[in-house]
């Protein structure tokens, strides 16, 4: 027989689902596009979009770049997944980016892109994104729109509440979604409450280079830490993490983790953490993890094994962490542009609870604590609440803000975006989405200076919206105009993978690189001119120093390769004009092409398995004579005495 609490939890979920079905049906005719919607999203041929939008690819492990308001897809940036189009994860230069303490892992579940900020505003330098499955954080350089760094997160299981930045990108954070044994060890799963822990990680970001390093971790109870956002303005110096499963259960969480009336937001004072670290309170804990960095000078990534982290224990560091009670199963935690209000979205609550940073500080000063959990004070709920948006919708998930004092919250179950007033807590407007919206994005909507012109709803279900594509349907984004009092649906468009969260920024804030200067190329196997092109053998290892320029390779004929050799084609693109990449592929390669930008060097490993003459060619259309851009490599038997030679035209090189 179900316990009373268990029965109530099951009934709550059931009732919410039933009500949601009714609401969705009643809204089926709403949200009709206005007659001028087409002109509002039209970007004429040759003209540019006003904003870049970066959407996570979810289970694709990638990051997609769109233009707003057009919704045009510009690029898919491979991050945690190999990409044959660009050779990412296949070429020798980028393989090290995907190294982990578990080995080479060419996939992850990427959820939350987060732009770098300066003075609380997006600055267009970098965008970070989390790997959820094998805990990692990646940094993408927005001058090249390429992944340049990935750091593994130890002592974690499921890096979900990540990688949200502080207001000057002092840190990006990484909270464990799943409690795991600490230290990791072979223990019974039903010893969860005794042996499992949660861990919050603060990753320092170098203000000049963007390079990441784990500064410290905070050891917490084994709750599931879901999402995060850092304070700004008056709350700068704090980071807030939602949590659920405060029941610390390990099975059937849909019921067993829904018993408590309230879960918690963990408020972490990272400035206090810095003080405690300076005082020597951090414990050096053995923790193997990988740190992988790509250099634009060498055009190569390198992997570094790290062996320890600093861990702070809250019971030893008073004032480091406080728990704010929040209605059950909160998902998003979002801080308004002033830094005063912290919105906690309890998925199983019809109300939105908004905490006040000022009241939180007063409660801390007055020691207004309900209880203490593992040395962490639990603040009294009534002493920290700043307001409640009552009966706003069903299944609240995520909130962002405009520059006019308004907030916008997604409701997954009732499939809608609700606009409400910060401070008066009144609902101003609501707009249906199609369907089951997760996160939303307003350019700058989680910063001190939102650019509140557009809102994008990132939807989980798109049944009946597009042509069918078999059992798996595409996910979608829907674009709303929020410049007026009422939200207006302008358009929708399919997205790559399952978008979880997005970030938007004015195009004017991003300074894209056009070429790599050939004289700055420090790749150890670069050939900076055709005079440097050559082939060298060292045992069964062969290095081909190759150049490419419209419209030939140098060398384009190679002989003396043997079956079983490991042949490294190091291809340097000698072009110094914008938008003249070259590709390289050779018959029988078991990886992918190379896609080499002007001034760049990339390497393809080819291991010939049989004798013959095999063509190679340029895979990226580069000129009118692109088809003529080809060559041959002769492969002889392992026992052959054919000399190694190479050439271009009739001349040996």
């Amino acid at each position: 027989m179900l316990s009373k609490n268990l029965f109530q939890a099951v009934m709550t979920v059931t009732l919410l689902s039933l009500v949601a079905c009714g609401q969705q049906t009643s809204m089926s005719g709403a949200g009709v596009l206005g007659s001028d919607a087409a002109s509002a999203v039209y970007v004429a041929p040759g003209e540019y979009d006003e904003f870049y939008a970066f959407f996570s690819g979810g289970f694709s492990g990638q990051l997609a770049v769109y233009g707003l308001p057009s919704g045009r897809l510009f690029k898919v940036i491979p991050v945690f997944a190999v990409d044959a189009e660009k050779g990412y994860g296949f070429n020798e230069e980028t393989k090290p980016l995907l190294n982990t303490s578990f080995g080479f892992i060419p996939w992850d579940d990427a959820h939350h892109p987060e732009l770098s900020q300066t003075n609380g505003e997006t600055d267009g330098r970098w965008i970070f994104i989390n790997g959820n499955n094998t805990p990692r954080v990646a940094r993408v350089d927005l001058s090249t729109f390429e992944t340049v760094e990935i750091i593994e997160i130890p002592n974690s299981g499921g890096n979900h509440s990540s990688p949200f930045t502080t207001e000057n990108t002092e840190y990006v954070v990484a909270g464990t979604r799943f409690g795991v044994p600490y230290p990791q060890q072979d223990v019974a799963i039903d010893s969860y409450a005794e042996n499992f822990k949660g861990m919050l990680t603060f990753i320092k970001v170098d203000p000049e280079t963007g390079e990441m390093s784990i500064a410290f971790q905070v050891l917490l109870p084994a709750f599931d830490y879901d999402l995060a956002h850092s304070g700004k303005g008056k709350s700068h110096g704090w980071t807030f993490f939602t949590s659920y499963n405060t029941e610390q259960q390990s099975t059937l969480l849909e019921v067993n983790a829904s018993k408590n009336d309230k879960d918690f937001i963990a408020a972490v004072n990272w400035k206090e953490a810095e003080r405690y670290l300076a005082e020597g309170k951090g414990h050096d804990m053995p923790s193997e993890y990988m740190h992988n960095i790509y250099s634009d000078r060498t055009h190569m990534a390198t992997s570094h094994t790290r062996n320890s982290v600093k861990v702070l224990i809250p019971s030893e560091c008073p004032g480091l962490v406080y728990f704010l009670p929040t209605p059950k199963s909160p998902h998003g935690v979002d801080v308004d542009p002033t830094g005063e209000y912290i919105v906690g979205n309890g998925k199983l609550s019809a109300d939105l609870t908004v905490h006040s940073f000022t009241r939180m500080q007063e409660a801390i000063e007055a020691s207004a604590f309900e209880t203490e959990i593992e040395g962490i004070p639990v603040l009294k709920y009534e002493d920290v609440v700043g307001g409640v948006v009552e009966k706003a919708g069903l299944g609240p998930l995520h909130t962002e803000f405009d520059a006019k004092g308004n907030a916008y919250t997604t409701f997954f179950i009732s499939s809608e975006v609700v606009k409400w007033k910060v401070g008066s807590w009144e609902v101003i407007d609501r707009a249906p989405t199609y369907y089951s919206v997760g996160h939303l994005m307003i350019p700058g909507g989680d910063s001190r200076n939102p650019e509140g012109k557009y809102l994008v709803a990132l939807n989980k279900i798109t049944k009946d919206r597009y042509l069918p594509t078999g059992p798996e349907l595409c996910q979608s984004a829907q674009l709303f105009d929020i410049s007026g009092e009422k939200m207006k649906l302008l358009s929708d468009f399919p997205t790559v993978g399952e978008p979880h969260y997005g970030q938007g920024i004015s195009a004017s804030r991003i300074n894209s690189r056009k070429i790599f200067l050939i004289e700055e190329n420090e790749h150890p196997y670069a050939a900076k001119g055709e005079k440097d092109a050559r082939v060298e053998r060292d045992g069964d290892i062969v290095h081909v120093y190759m150049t490419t320029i419209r419209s030939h390779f140098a060398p384009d004929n190679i002989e003396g390769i043997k079956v079983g050799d490991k042949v490294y084609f190091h291809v340097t693109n000698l072009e110094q004009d914008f938008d003249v990449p070259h590709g390289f592929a050779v018959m029988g390669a078991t990886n992918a092409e190379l896609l080499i930008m002007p001034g760049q060097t990339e390497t393809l490993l080819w291991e010939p398995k049989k004798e013959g003459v095999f063509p190679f060619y340029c895979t990226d259309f580069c000129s009118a004579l692109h088809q003529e851009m080809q060559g041959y490599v002769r492969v002889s038997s392992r026992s052959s005495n054919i000399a190694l030679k190479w050439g271009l035209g009739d001349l040996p090189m």
Side-chain angles (χ1 to χ4, degrees):
M1 181 177 291
L2 292 175
S3 68
K4 181 179 178 181
N5 285 340
L6 189 59
F7 175 77
Q8 288 175 338
V10 172
M11 289 304 296
T12 297
V13 173
T14 303
L15 288 171
L16 287 174
S17 300
L18 289 172
V19 174
C21 291
Q23 286 203 11
Q24 183 164 305
T25 302
S26 68
M27 296 190 306
S28 60
V32 178
L33 300 181
S35 59
D36 60 343
S39 62
V41 301
Y42 179 69
V43 178
E47 294 186 1
Y48 293 167
D49 280 277
E50 185 178 357
F51 295 96
Y52 285 102
F54 300 89
F55 298 159
S56 66
F59 43 67
S60 76
Q62 298 168 325
L63 181 65
V65 186
Y66 295 83
L68 293 182
S70 71
R72 299 179 295 193
L73 176 63
F74 293 156
K75 184 173 183 176
V76 175
I77 303 172
V79 182
F80 300 110
V82 295
D83 186 335
E85 176 191 348
K86 303 168 186 68
Y88 180 85
F90 290 104
N91 64 40
E92 297 304 299
E93 284 75 14
T94 57
K95 282 180 182 178
L97 283 169
L98 299 176
N99 288 337
T100 77
S101 62
F102 298 91
F104 179 83
I105 299 184
W107 174 84
D108 217 310
D109 187 17
H111 282 204
H112 304 124
E114 179 81 354
L115 288 159
S116 57
Q117 295 189 11
T118 300
N119 297 324
E121 296 188 26
T122 54
D123 58 28
R125 293 182 296 165
W126 312 299
I127 190 164
F128 304 88
I129 190 166
N130 64 320
N132 191 29
N133 184 60
T134 303
R136 289 176 278 182
V137 169
R139 177 172 60 91
V140 173
D141 186 337
L142 290 181
S143 71
T144 60
F145 284 65
E146 293 182 353
T147 303
V148 294
E149 186 175 12
I150 298 179
I151 192 167
E152 189 180 0
I153 311 301
N155 304 315
S156 291
N159 176 36
H160 194 258
S161 49
S162 175
F164 303 95
T165 68
T166 54
E167 76 171 28
N168 288 296
T169 320
E170 295 95 342
Y171 297 98
V172 295
V173 300
T176 184
R177 178 179 172 186
F178 313 116
V180 292
Y182 177 78
Q184 187 62 269
Q185 57 188 305
D186 178 10
V187 297
I189 297 173
D190 63 9
S191 70
Y192 187 99
E194 294 78 32
N195 291 315
F196 287 54
K197 289 292 182 183
M199 192 71 81
L200 307 181
T201 303
F202 283 71
I203 303 165
K204 193 73 175 174
V205 180
D206 185 280
E208 298 300 323
T209 66
E211 187 172 319
M212 299 183 289
S213 59
I214 294 179
F216 62 92
Q217 296 186 311
V218 181
L219 187 67
L220 292 182
F223 307 156
D224 289 34
Y225 297 90
D226 199 9
L227 280 174
H229 264 103
S230 291
K232 52 181 74 82
K234 63 174 62 180
S235 55
H236 178 57
W238 293 77
T239 300
F240 306 94
F241 297 80
T242 50
S243 68
Y244 62 97
N245 191 24
T246 53
E247 298 84 354
Q248 299 193 66
Q249 297 294 308
S250 63
T251 184
L252 198 63
L253 261 61
E254 63 177 324
V255 173
N256 292 329
S258 300
K259 296 177 181 178
N260 292 341
D261 183 54
K262 291 183 177 64
D263 292 299
F264 300 121
I265 289 173
V268 181
N269 187 335
W270 55 261
K271 288 191 175 180
E272 275 292 276
E274 291 176 337
R275 182 175 68 83
Y276 281 121
L277 288 171
E279 293 176 357
K281 292 293 183 68
H283 296 262
D284 288 308
M285 302 301 294
S287 303
E288 182 183 351
Y289 61 99
M290 300 300 292
H291 184 194
N292 311 318
I293 308 172
Y294 180 89
S295 166
D296 275 342
R297 304 285 294 195
T298 64
H299 305 287
M300 298 181 70
T302 53
S303 289
H304 310 271
T305 301
R306 311 300 186 197
N307 295 304
S308 69
V309 292
K310 294 279 188 185
V311 176
L312 294 172
I313 300 174
S315 61
E316 301 173 356
C317 304
L320 177 62
V321 185
Y322 297 92
F323 284 141
L324 283 61
T326 301
K328 63 172 58 183
S329 297
H331 185 57
V333 54
D334 304 287
V335 182
D336 85 308
T338 71
E340 169 62 21
Y341 295 113
I342 304 121
V343 184
N345 298 331
K347 297 196 300 291
L348 300 183
S349 172
D351 296 336
L352 285 178
T353 299
V354 184
H355 297 297
S356 162
F357 181 75
T358 299
R359 298 200 72 202
M360 184 190 89
Q361 294 294 92
E362 292 170 350
I364 292 170
E365 183 69 23
S367 298
F369 306 146
E370 288 182 0
T371 186
E372 189 175 276
I373 301 174
E374 297 186 21
I376 301 169
V378 179
L379 299 174
K380 291 182 178 179
Y381 174 76
E382 60 275 10
D383 286 357
V384 296
V385 171
V388 175
V389 185
E390 296 182 348
K391 299 178 181 177
L394 296 175
L397 292 185
H398 176 61
T399 300
E400 292 211 345
F401 306 88
D402 65 18
K404 302 176 183 177
N406 301 309
Y408 302 77
T409 300
T410 54
F411 290 83
F412 178 79
I413 297 175
S414 51
S415 291
E416 59 182 332
V417 175
V418 174
K419 177 181 179 180
W420 50 275
K421 194 71 176 177
V422 176
S424 68
W425 322 121
E426 59 183 317
V427 172
I428 300 171
D429 190 25
R430 59 180 70 238
T433 61
Y434 304 97
Y435 305 96
S436 299
V437 61
H439 284 254
L440 58 81
M441 179 274 283
I442 296 171
D446 68 342
S447 73
R448 294 185 69 174
N449 185 23
E451 302 175 81
K453 187 174 183 179
Y454 298 113
L455 178 152
V456 180
L458 299 167
N459 302 328
K460 303 297 186 184
I461 299 172
T462 58
K463 185 173 65 176
D464 303 330
R465 297 299 288 179
Y466 306 108
L467 290 172
T469 53
E472 184 184 12
L473 301 176
C474 57
Q475 278 86 26
S476 74
Q478 292 190 297
L479 179 68
F480 291 82
D481 181 343
I482 60 170
S483 60
E485 186 71 11
K486 297 293 184 180
M487 293 178 282
K488 180 180 179 181
L489 177 62
L490 298 177
S491 69
D492 58 15
F493 49 92
T495 58
V496 172
E498 181 196 359
H500 286 258
Y501 183 42
Q503 289 264 278
I505 186 171
S506 295
S508 60
R509 295 189 186 183
I510 292 181
N511 183 21
S512 294
R513 187 171 192 161
K514 297 182 182 296
I515 64 171
F516 297 96
L517 295 176
I518 194 71
E519 61 267 23
E520 294 179 356
N521 185 332
E522 298 176 6
H523 193 291
Y525 293 98
K528 296 185 180 182
E530 289 188 0
K531 62 180 175 52
D532 299 324
R534 62 196 186 278
V535 183
E536 296 178 347
R537 174 182 289 281
D538 181 9
D540 62 355
I541 305 296
V542 177
H543 292 282
V544 180
Y545 295 74
M546 180 177 284
T547 65
T548 178
I549 197 166
R550 288 166 289 184
S551 295
H552 65 267
F553 295 98
D556 67 359
N557 279 203
I558 303 171
E559 297 188 9
I561 304 299
K562 301 178 181 182
V563 172
D565 280 345
K566 292 181 181 293
V567 183
Y568 291 90
F569 289 95
H570 308 287
V571 185
T572 301
N573 182 347
L574 297 180
E575 307 282 359
Q576 291 290 269
D577 290 333
F578 184 37
D579 194 29
V580 191
H582 288 292
F584 176 83
V586 59
M587 184 177 176
T590 58
N591 37 37
E593 66 156 0
L594 299 178
L595 185 61
I596 314 131
M597 298 300 111
Q600 192 176 44
T601 301
E602 290 193 1
T603 302
L604 183 143
L605 171 60
W606 182 57
E607 300 182 66
K609 307 297 184 187
K610 58 181 71 174
E611 300 171 26
V613 178
F614 301 98
F616 55 84
Y617 68 103
C618 178
T619 54
D620 191 285
F621 199 96
C622 56
S623 72
L625 296 176
H626 166 73
Q627 291 293 98
E628 285 76 10
M629 195 168 176
Q630 65 183 57
Y632 292 98
V633 56
R634 177 185 176 186
V635 178
S636 303
S637 70
R638 192 72 209 156
S639 59
S640 72
N641 293 316
I642 296 174
L644 192 65
K645 64 178 181 178
W646 59 94
L648 176 64
D650 296 328
L651 300 175
M653 302 187 71

